[in-house]
Amino acid sequence: MLRALQPGILTSLVLISTTAAITLVTAFIGYHLGRESLRGVSQPVVNPILGSAVNANDQSQGERSPILDEAQIIAQTKARIAEMTEGASDREIVPAPTTANDPPAAEPATSRTLPIVAEDKGVRLEISRVDTIGQDLALQVSLKNDSSQGVQFIYTFLEIKNDKGTLLSALTEGLPTELPPGSDLVKGTILIPKSLLDNAKTLTLRLASYPNQDVQLQAANIPVE
């Protein structure tokens, strides 16, 4: 039985030896080639003071960069700071422009006085008073037609906005739907629910004739309070 195993063992030993020999030869060749390729190459040494690279071969020859004196560096720094301070003190300081004494910017003029009159092509609209009736804001208005043409109005087209640009709904009482030429003064009331005002300070009113809107009556800055 041992004789039967001997050929297999010998074969394994031969393969192992051959592999080991090839590995050693390959490692030696690789080491030799790498050393030859790096011959003459050296790692630079960085000088921490000058911040430049110094060749190691130069150091081996005894040529070293000089070390700066700490006291000299401090003295130079103080002299530089003193020079900058003196230069800053010599410069003329120009104060920033101030608006403390300037008059305040003029605000847009807002007429809060009544009556407010709007007129176009001989037709006149006047807002004489602003009252509170129950839960409504009441604008006391009057209409007059001094032109030679009759004018018609449909008050569903009456446009009223608050100072935030929100369109408000309104009702009219006593205002005519038609003004004949040369008509007398006609008074009426425009009612606006106060819940819709949204803390508005002023209102804008626009009333156009029907159907072609030839007459445009516009009144702005109508005071609420």
Side-chain angles (χ1 to χ4, degrees):
M1 182 175 180
L2 294 175
R3 292 179 179 179
L5 294 176
Q6 286 180 356
I9 295 174
L10 291 175
T11 302
S12 298
L13 292 175
V14 171
L15 291 176
I16 293 173
S17 300
T18 303
T19 302
I22 293 174
T23 302
L24 292 175
V25 172
T26 303
F28 176 77
I29 293 174
Y31 172 77
H32 179 72
L33 292 177
R35 183 170 184 178
E36 289 295 328
S37 63
L38 295 176
R39 177 169 298 184
V41 179
S42 61
Q43 181 179 3
V45 179
V46 178
N47 192 313
I49 298 177
L50 300 179
S52 59
V54 180
N55 193 285
N57 294 331
D58 296 339
Q59 288 186 341
S60 64
Q61 297 175 0
E63 297 180 0
R64 301 177 59 88
S65 300
I67 300 177
L68 299 181
D69 186 8
E70 181 180 358
Q72 182 180 1
I73 296 175
I74 296 175
Q76 292 178 354
T77 303
K78 290 182 177 180
R80 180 59 178 166
I81 293 174
E83 180 182 353
M84 294 175 62
T85 304
E86 292 176 0
S89 61
D90 294 339
R91 289 194 297 268
E92 181 181 0
I93 300 176
V94 180
T98 177
T99 57
N101 298 326
D102 295 342
E107 298 180 354
T110 301
S111 174
R112 299 183 63 85
T113 58
L114 297 174
I116 296 176
V117 177
E119 187 171 0
D120 185 32
K121 297 179 182 178
V123 181
R124 176 186 175 93
L125 169 69
E126 179 178 315
I127 304 172
S128 58
R129 196 170 72 252
V130 178
D131 298 325
T132 298
I133 301 178
Q135 299 299 319
D136 297 329
L137 184 73
L139 307 183
Q140 305 298 333
V141 301
S142 59
L143 286 169
K144 192 175 188 303
N145 183 10
D146 292 329
S147 70
S148 59
Q149 302 290 330
V151 181
Q152 291 183 336
F153 294 106
I154 296 181
Y155 295 101
T156 53
F157 297 151
L158 175 65
E159 182 181 283
I160 298 178
K161 294 183 179 180
N162 62 12
D163 49 14
K164 300 178 183 179
T166 304
L167 188 64
L168 309 178
S169 60
L171 298 175
T172 59
E173 293 181 353
L175 294 179
T177 58
E178 184 176 355
L179 287 175
S183 67
D184 296 332
L185 189 68
V186 181
K187 295 183 179 181
T189 305
I190 300 175
L191 299 173
I192 306 167
K194 297 184 69 174
S195 59
L196 302 179
L197 296 179
D198 193 18
N199 297 321
K201 303 299 182 182
T202 60
L203 301 177
T204 300
L205 180 149
R206 178 179 177 272
L207 178 63
S209 61
Y210 178 85
N212 298 324
Q213 301 186 8
D214 297 330
V215 177
Q216 300 277 345
L217 301 173
Q218 300 187 49
N221 300 321
I222 305 169
V224 173
E225 297 179 350

